Amino acid sequence: MSELFSQGIIGQLKLENRMIRTASHEGLADRHGAPTQEQYHFYRAFVEGGIGLIITGYAGIMQNGKSSLYHMTMIDNDELISAHREMVGKIHGIAGKIVCQIAHCGRQTLSEATGEAVLLAPSSIPNRFFKEVPRELAQKEIKDIIGQFAAAAKRVRKAGYDGVQIHGAHGYLLSTFLSRRSNKRKDRWGGSAENRFRIVAETLKAVREEVGKNFPVLIKLNSFERGNDGIKPAECVDFARMVEKTGCCDAVEISAGSNEDSFYMARGSFPTEGILKYLRPYCKMGKIGKGFIRHVVAPINSYLKPPFKEGYNLETAAKVKQAISLPVIAVGGMRSKAFMESAVREGKTDFVSLARPLILEPDLANKFMKNESESAKCDNCNICFVATDTAPIRCHKDEFISS
Ligand SMILES: Cc1cc2nc3c(=O)[nH]c(=O)nc-3n(C[C@H](O)[C@H](O)[C@H](O)COP(=O)(O)O)c2cc1C
């Protein structure tokens, strides 16, 4: 029996195999942020397709940290619990396991989505992609956000999810505190690695207090950002050690990049046509603007973008695994069965998680188990990524091939 399809454990949560559907924003919530029937059907395909665990796309903990992407799921008030509970109940009814990822988007959103005059961040430094100049959070507001993470985690538990994942990666609020690139604070929330980690430590402790000791708590961390002061693998290993030291977390998922790092998170192709059709403000540009994107911006970005490499975060995940005893999940570029099997067999990671391949093939785990496939069909065109700005999640490949 392959290690990839052996049982695994995250805290008290027993999983049938080591393949996880990682958090991927669905854009399927209703206008209040409640999960919908379509969202359930979307998840159901993963359960029927043999995946060991689903981690939901990020759910917002506060309106002031709401995503600007299309129809974010929210978990910021008690009235939403029943809709989450209904969806989770159905997933459990077909023997699926589901963890809810919770997030505050910080400066990586738009004020038109949060409804606030300005975005919130550790320091008043704009995200190069979103461009709005955020306001530095006051200490009291930081405490409030920590409390709201805990309140959201409590709702996650009440809704019956199998665990909660704190989003500490990809340029959202918590990861901007961790990064020297975006955190220039001089108080106890900035400066040394311990100070930058403080918000994560306090969030994990507050969450643990609310959900109790038996409820699985996971975290997603960045292992790489561009620039001299961006997070690098060695610092990620230190942060993972700090996570373990809190005693409040059950698993660490290792990712990389943020919106302003262009495609370090995903690698693969620069999705020019997807951007021009789905991503604001580019999709609203006239012919001249679009021509400029096609003939100037796209070639430059395609040149700067890191090459796709199978399992591109695995080596850092392996370093994290050596440094801590908590289960590790490696995400990013997991494509072939042989690669995933060897990553688990060689002890580089305990679990592998996937986003893009499962959008196209939600039954990839079953195909691997039944020897019907050796590798995912996803070719990392990245249109699914940029299209979530204005449309629900799906694979858009055919649309562009046929046009
Ligand atoms: C459509 C889409 C939506 C995503 N939304 C989230 C999200 O809500 N939370 C998160 O942590 N990562 C999100 N990601 C990043 C993925 O979790 C993952 O880190 C990245 O896609 C690399 O994995 P892959 O090579 O398996 O796609 C998203 C990725 C895609 C393609």
Side-chain angles (χ1 to χ4, degrees):
M1 180 67 166
S2 110
E3 273 89 344
L4 187 61
F5 295 104
S6 64
Q7 288 187 340
I9 284 199
I10 292 177
Q12 305 264 322
L13 181 61
K14 290 191 185 65
L15 305 182
E16 286 307 310
N17 63 56
R18 310 301 182 102
M19 274 179 82
I20 295 176
R21 185 274 185 159
T22 192
S24 316
H25 169 78
E26 293 91 9
L28 292 170
D30 73 12
R31 64 192 176 88
H32 305 290
T36 57
Q37 189 67 0
E38 280 164 288
Q39 203 160 332
Y40 159 67
H41 286 296
F42 185 72
Y43 293 147
R44 187 177 72 171
F46 300 130
V47 178
E48 291 174 349
I51 209 77
L53 173 68
I54 296 166
I55 304 180
T56 67
Y58 58 4
I61 62 156
M62 294 170 87
Q63 290 292 323
N64 69 18
K66 190 175 175 182
S67 174
S68 55
L69 298 184
Y70 190 77
H71 286 224
M72 184 191 208
T73 306
M74 297 298 291
I75 188 122
D76 64 320
N77 69 75
D78 287 354
E79 280 171 26
L80 290 167
I81 295 174
S82 60
H84 280 271
R85 189 184 286 129
E86 194 185 323
M87 194 261 299
V88 173
K90 287 186 195 158
I91 294 292
H92 287 163
I94 53 170
K97 304 265 166 74
I98 185 162
V99 160
C100 183
Q101 185 187 64
I102 56 173
H104 187 294
C105 291
R107 62 178 195 162
Q108 207 165 249
T109 180
L110 297 168
S111 49
E112 70 178 38
T114 65
E116 300 282 324
V118 278
L119 301 179
L120 304 171
S123 303
S124 182
I125 303 168
N127 176 293
R128 278 197 291 270
F129 179 78
F130 283 92
K131 297 195 173 71
E132 286 186 38
V133 181
R135 176 169 69 71
E136 177 176 311
L137 282 159
Q139 302 221 31
K140 197 173 150 292
E141 292 173 308
I142 296 175
K143 290 272 181 198
D144 184 39
I145 289 172
I146 293 167
Q148 293 303 323
F149 264 109
K154 189 176 180 181
R155 289 181 201 113
V156 168
R157 178 165 193 162
K158 276 192 175 167
Y161 282 99
D162 298 292
V164 63
Q165 183 181 57
I166 312 294
H167 199 343
H170 301 168
Y172 295 107
L173 186 74
L174 295 182
S175 72
T176 52
F177 269 89
L178 292 176
S179 174
R180 284 183 296 130
R181 191 172 73 177
S182 41
N183 183 348
K184 305 288 180 195
R185 297 179 75 99
K186 302 268 183 278
D187 59 9
R188 57 199 292 271
W189 307 95
S192 67
E194 285 70 21
N195 277 358
R196 282 178 281 125
F197 184 74
R198 191 178 309 280
I199 188 169
V200 175
E202 294 205 6
T203 298
L204 285 169
K205 285 178 193 157
V207 164
R208 178 57 78 206
E209 216 156 276
E210 281 295 352
V211 299
K213 70 175 175 7
N214 293 333
F215 193 68
V217 176
L218 295 76
I219 191 162
K220 192 165 186 173
L221 292 178
N222 258 7
S223 61
F224 185 84
E225 289 172 347
R226 283 203 316 208
N228 290 338
D229 49 3
I231 293 172
K232 297 291 178 291
E235 199 170 34
C236 171
V237 173
D238 290 342
F239 287 139
R241 282 201 187 95
M242 293 183 207
V243 165
E244 179 160 51
K245 225 170 124 193
T246 64
C248 299
C249 189
D250 298 297
V252 182
E253 185 174 14
I254 300 300
S255 191
S258 73
N259 283 36
E260 62 178 357
D261 291 315
S262 66
F263 285 89
Y264 270 89
M265 194 199 302
R267 307 201 183 201
S269 307
F270 186 77
T272 313
E273 295 310 315
I275 289 172
L276 295 180
K277 183 159 183 189
Y278 289 106
L279 187 66
R280 293 164 299 168
Y282 312 100
C283 59
K284 292 185 180 146
M285 281 178 167
K287 262 192 174 166
I288 296 174
K290 288 191 173 172
F292 182 74
I293 301 289
R294 275 194 189 101
H295 302 298
V296 181
V297 177
I300 295 173
N301 276 277
S302 302
Y303 175 74
L304 290 176
K305 179 181 57 52
F308 184 84
K309 182 179 156 230
E310 177 135 41
Y312 46 85
N313 298 318
L314 180 64
E315 292 315 314
T316 314
K319 288 188 184 126
V320 169
K321 182 143 172 63
Q322 277 172 11
I324 64 174
S325 54
L326 292 175
V328 170
I329 306 166
V331 65
M334 296 291 170
R335 298 295 179 266
S336 72
K337 179 176 157 185
F339 186 90
M340 291 181 234
E341 281 188 329
S342 71
V344 176
R345 188 177 55 247
E346 289 168 16
K348 291 183 169 173
T349 186
D350 297 286
F351 298 89
V352 293
S353 62
L354 301 86
R356 288 165 290 173
L358 299 178
I359 301 172
L360 180 59
E361 295 175 279
D363 57 345
L364 190 62
N366 275 349
K367 285 181 179 165
F368 283 172
M369 269 188 274
K370 294 179 191 162
N371 290 322
E372 287 172 6
S373 165
E374 291 304 316
S375 191
K377 288 184 190 153
C378 173
D379 64 358
N380 316 305
C381 74
N382 287 329
I383 300 169
C384 61
F385 235 120
V386 292
T388 50
D389 194 41
T390 52
I393 193 168
R394 70 181 174 88
C395 177
H396 294 263
K397 190 79 191 149
D398 292 349
E399 179 187 340
F400 287 90
I401 285 170
S402 58
S403 63

